[in-house]
Amino acid sequence: MTTDTNDATRAEAGWERGLFTQSPPRLGNQYRDDPLLGGYLRRTLPMAVYRACVDEFDELGAIAGGRLYELQLADRCHEPVLRQWDAWGRRIDEIEVSPLWREAERLAVRHGLVATGYDRGLGRHARSVQFAKVHLFHPSSDVYTCPLAMTDGAARSLLDSGNAELIARALPRLTSRDPGTAWTSGQWMTETTGGSDVGRSQTRALRDRDDDGPSHWRLYGRKWFTSAVTSQMALTLARPEGNPAGGRGLAMFYVEVRDADGRLNGLRVDRLKDKLGTRKVPTAELLLEGTRAALVGEPCNGTRAIEPMLGVTRMWNSVCAASFMRRGLSLARAYAGQREAFGDRLERLPLHADTLAALEAESWGAFLMTFLLVELFGRVEAGEADEAQRALLRLVTPLTKLVTGRQAVQVVSEVVESFGGAGYVEDTGLPLLLRDTQVLPIWEGTTNVLSLDALLRSDLNAGLAALLGRVSSALRSVSDARLAAAGRQSLAAVERATLWLESSRDRELLQAGARRLALTLARALQLALLCEHAQWLLDHERDPRGRAAALRFSRLPVDLIHEVDPVLDRELLGIAAPG
Ligand SMILES: Cc1cc2nc3c(=O)[nH]c(=O)nc-3n(C[C@H](O)[C@H](O)[C@H](O)COP(=O)(O)OP(=O)(O)OC[C@H]3O[C@@H](n4cnc5c(N)ncnc54)[C@H](O)[C@@H]3O)c2cc1C
């Protein structure tokens, strides 16, 4: 052997100058390497739609696992910069975003990551196609999906408002595939008084005396969390003068952030938040000092008017959670296939394999529930949903967002541990993944707030009946004996959750148990969807992986209903009973 060959062999084996070196985990084409996404799309999309879209999925899969991922690792230390003043003392409040964000913006527009959702040619499948692309793109985008989600939410909210003038002005830009005309939108809701309890907002809206137009107002107040403040427009809430307190007294307003000359519209960016994660997303504190705004609908009921925004952003959040899990597991599995300990590769060590299998099962369950939500959303928008599907959509929107947010944090935290010490080191990119994931259970409604949203909705009974119907229909398609047994577990969990709800009369006990109820319903639905998909994979693609995922999931906690004594909890926390 020549010296050259010797060196090459040693480098391949991980030796450099006599020292052992580790190889980084490599990502392949993120579409081709994801049997779940491909199988799901082949099962649910008409063949003609699938064939028309598959090349673009493949292209995005290559970009996400290739040059965008490399750019993301190289761009790790860039953060947005706020320049509040120019050299001549002029207040400018300009924000420079990272190079990866600029590239992500171009890709998002070119691939129509918002526009596809409004592509009427795709009928009720528009959302499934759109979110398959988002699922591929998101983990390499440094959360550029945040402004995209709000842009999509703004488009939906404007359409639902019926305000023809604003729709004509903003919709073509929000759904543009041309980088020269495309806009993104923010949503400015959270104030220091509350994000969950947004009815306490203090921003005031006064009629603009210099403007005769019927819908021109000036806003005064402070918005405490405004992400993607580089957007061209925003939807926001403010209280018209004389309106009562609470959510009903708020109204929804449309704001353009700068005028045609680039001057800020009566607002200041006080500072960018110094955050745990999503650090590439410029999240600002804004001071509105007479911001010119247009009323979108009626001068009240703003929290109701902005609900379409939340429906859309919660769906994006769920897709981002599922795709972060996929990314984490792609990396963890690649690493387990190459790293050796105790004389074998990690993936061949029984306990490591057991750990990864449980995470895979969680991620399959999360994905299938998320894409059920997406599918239902597309149906409703296309006018092809029946009443049960509408009720199901209303219930699974908060359930999916809350369960997938929690699953993503749990899975990605384990992924970091699965790399040992390397997982804790910044330039592997893994800590970033965990920090970015941690936002998912917080923004767009925390786990508790969404659990209560699901529990306290007036149409909960219709939603529960629809959920039970969907679980039953999923299980009717199952013929494999082991899957059928797992499926019965799912049905039993839904029935026990419903029974708990019917038998719990005490308001405090009900509220205290809301999260356990929501998670039980969500996990039971995930198990049923896993069984349904597994049967299809067995029947149509002779692929046993879905069955393995369903059976593994059935061994994880599904039914989380149990009685808890709030008196003991108060004793533990040293707090008084609610007034
Ligand atoms: C990175 C980032 C970006 C953001 N970007 C935006 C943005 O662009 N636009 C925007 O409007 N907002 C944005 N937010 C704000 C976000 O939506 C809010 O922080 C979130 O909704 C929670 O509101 P809060 O911070 O007021 O928490 P609180 O409502 O004060 O909640 C505190 C805790 O109390 C719990 N809690 C609250 N009420 C109940 C209840 N009734 N029962 C039980 N538990 C309860 C919550 O679960 C939480 O754990 C962003 C936040 C972050 C972290």
Side-chain angles (χ1 to χ4, degrees):
M1 215 184 253
T2 66
T3 316
D4 277 1
T5 329
N6 239 337
D7 286 351
T9 316
R10 286 169 68 76
E12 210 167 90
W15 291 92
E16 234 169 58
R17 292 199 207 103
L19 291 176
F20 180 72
T21 56
Q22 300 183 48
S23 317
R26 306 218 182 273
L27 290 178
N29 180 311
Q30 293 297 282
Y31 180 65
R32 291 184 203 172
D33 290 355
D34 187 349
L36 177 56
L37 177 62
Y40 171 81
L41 294 171
R42 286 190 293 280
R43 172 164 77 84
T44 55
L45 292 181
M47 196 41 82
V49 174
Y50 177 75
R51 288 217 179 100
C53 300
V54 70
D55 286 347
E56 194 173 14
F57 298 150
D58 200 57
E59 186 188 343
L60 268 170
I63 293 170
R67 72 178 164 86
L68 200 58
Y69 177 55
E70 280 155 26
L71 181 56
Q72 187 183 30
L73 289 176
D75 198 32
R76 198 174 51 79
C77 297
H78 275 116
E79 295 200 348
V81 177
L82 167 64
R83 274 180 62 232
Q84 286 176 312
W85 307 96
D86 74 4
W88 311 105
R90 216 165 45 101
R91 183 85 191 214
I92 50 171
D93 289 355
E94 279 174 6
I95 293 162
E96 191 185 319
V97 296
S98 68
L100 183 125
W101 258 49
R102 292 198 293 275
E103 176 60 12
E105 181 181 3
R106 279 191 291 275
L107 282 169
V109 172
R110 182 158 75 81
H111 288 280
L113 294 188
V114 173
T116 308
Y118 297 86
D119 182 343
R120 291 218 180 116
L122 291 167
R124 69 183 164 89
H125 305 290
R127 291 292 180 177
S128 301
V129 173
Q130 173 195 13
F131 282 109
K133 296 193 220 176
V134 173
H135 190 267
L136 292 164
F137 169 82
H138 163 70
S140 299
S141 77
D142 279 343
V143 200
Y144 186 72
T145 38
C146 167
L148 295 179
M150 296 188 290
T151 303
D152 194 348
R156 189 65 264 161
S157 303
L158 289 177
L159 277 170
D160 287 2
S161 77
N163 185 323
E165 197 183 328
L166 292 180
I167 294 172
R169 178 157 178 79
L171 197 74
R173 294 172 160 105
L174 296 173
T175 58
S176 171
R177 288 172 186 265
D178 170 4
T181 60
W183 276 6
T184 56
S185 173
Q187 63 160 313
W188 303 345
M189 290 173 67
T190 305
E191 302 193 3
T192 48
T193 44
S196 318
D197 192 2
V198 79
R200 295 172 69 206
S201 296
Q202 293 176 324
T203 298
R204 294 174 306 129
L206 306 182
R207 278 293 176 103
D208 188 351
R209 295 190 202 293
D210 302 333
D211 193 321
D212 289 341
S215 57
H216 290 115
W217 298 67
R218 297 267 177 186
L219 309 185
Y220 299 86
R222 185 154 66 141
K223 296 291 176 183
W224 191 233
F225 273 95
T226 58
S227 284
V229 74
T230 43
S231 293
Q232 289 79 3
M233 62 157 281
L235 294 181
T236 189
L237 297 178
R239 196 176 310 281
E241 227 180 358
N243 271 19
R248 279 202 204 142
L250 294 170
M252 181 165 78
F253 289 91
Y254 165 94
V255 170
E256 287 182 14
V257 178
R258 291 177 189 267
D259 66 16
D261 298 324
R263 280 186 303 253
L264 280 167
N265 170 13
L267 60 91
R268 280 195 311 188
V269 181
D270 275 346
R271 61 174 169 168
L272 296 183
K273 297 276 194 195
D274 184 7
K275 297 172 289 176
L276 170 72
T278 66
R279 294 186 68 91
K280 306 301 172 93
V281 181
T283 302
E285 293 167 16
L286 294 183
L287 195 64
L288 310 186
E289 306 173 299
T291 307
R292 205 152 167 267
L295 189 62
V296 179
E298 46 179 351
C300 55
N301 294 320
T303 45
R304 197 190 308 147
I306 209 157
E307 271 176 18
M309 166 74 87
L310 297 178
V312 169
T313 54
R314 286 171 183 168
M315 179 163 57
W316 276 79
N317 202 88
S318 307
V319 174
C320 294
S323 76
F324 263 157
M325 285 183 248
R326 174 59 32 227
R327 169 59 51 90
L329 280 161
S330 299
L331 292 168
R333 290 181 57 188
Y335 193 63
Q338 70 194 36
R339 171 80 166 162
E340 289 188 2
F342 299 101
D344 216 338
R345 289 197 302 274
L346 292 180
E347 66 181 9
R348 291 170 52 88
L349 300 175
L351 182 53
H352 198 76
D354 179 276
T355 308
L356 291 184
L359 304 182
E360 270 296 332
E362 287 288 343
S363 81
W364 279 58
F367 173 92
L368 290 171
M369 186 174 184
T370 296
F371 274 80
L372 169 70
L373 166 64
V374 166
E375 204 181 308
L376 288 167
F377 202 96
R379 263 185 193 280
V380 169
E381 280 186 317
E384 291 184 32
D386 60 25
E387 201 29 63
Q389 286 163 331
R390 288 174 181 279
L392 185 59
L393 174 64
R394 289 192 292 271
L395 181 59
V396 297
T397 299
L399 292 186
T400 312
K401 194 284 181 181
L402 76 91
V403 73
T404 57
R406 290 253 51 89
Q407 286 174 304
V409 171
Q410 180 203 337
V411 166
V412 173
S413 169
E414 280 279 5
V415 162
V416 168
E417 185 177 339
S418 81
F419 279 83
Y424 208 66
V425 172
E426 286 292 348
D427 50 6
T428 60
L430 292 158
L432 174 84
L433 185 62
L434 179 58
R435 285 199 299 267
D436 284 355
T437 302
Q438 181 64 66
V439 83
L440 297 175
I442 298 176
W443 63 14
E444 311 308 343
T446 63
T447 313
N448 280 358
V449 166
L450 291 177
S451 299
L452 291 171
D453 178 272
L455 174 75
L456 301 176
R457 38 188 343 115
S458 55
D459 60 350
L460 176 62
N461 286 340
L464 281 174
L467 190 140
L468 187 60
R470 185 63 183 85
V471 166
S472 307
S473 84
L475 300 181
R476 272 197 295 278
S477 67
V478 172
S479 57
D480 178 89
R482 283 192 288 167
L483 286 176
R488 282 194 289 280
Q489 205 182 319
S490 143
L491 209 51
V494 177
E495 282 165 357
R496 219 168 81 82
T498 314
L499 204 64
W500 176 81
L501 196 58
E502 284 165 3
S503 60
S504 303
R505 299 270 170 259
D506 183 277
R507 210 176 121 80
E508 187 187 354
L509 278 177
L510 261 177
Q511 277 208 28
R515 184 197 274 233
R516 285 184 286 275
L517 174 77
L519 290 173
T520 300
L521 293 172
R523 294 185 67 82
L525 179 58
Q526 290 190 2
L527 177 55
L529 297 173
L530 278 162
C531 293
E532 176 185 56
H533 188 63
Q535 187 67 56
W536 185 89
L537 282 178
L538 285 175
D539 295 346
H540 296 267
E541 305 202 337
R542 293 194 187 166
D543 183 348
R545 282 176 290 193
R547 180 169 57 191
L551 297 179
R552 191 65 172 81
F553 194 93
S554 74
R555 291 287 167 257
L556 298 167
V558 174
D559 181 347
L560 304 174
I561 300 285
H562 52 258
E563 291 308 333
V564 168
D565 185 346
V567 178
L568 283 179
D569 283 354
R570 283 200 296 272
E571 221 168 84
L572 175 64
L573 298 170
I575 51 177

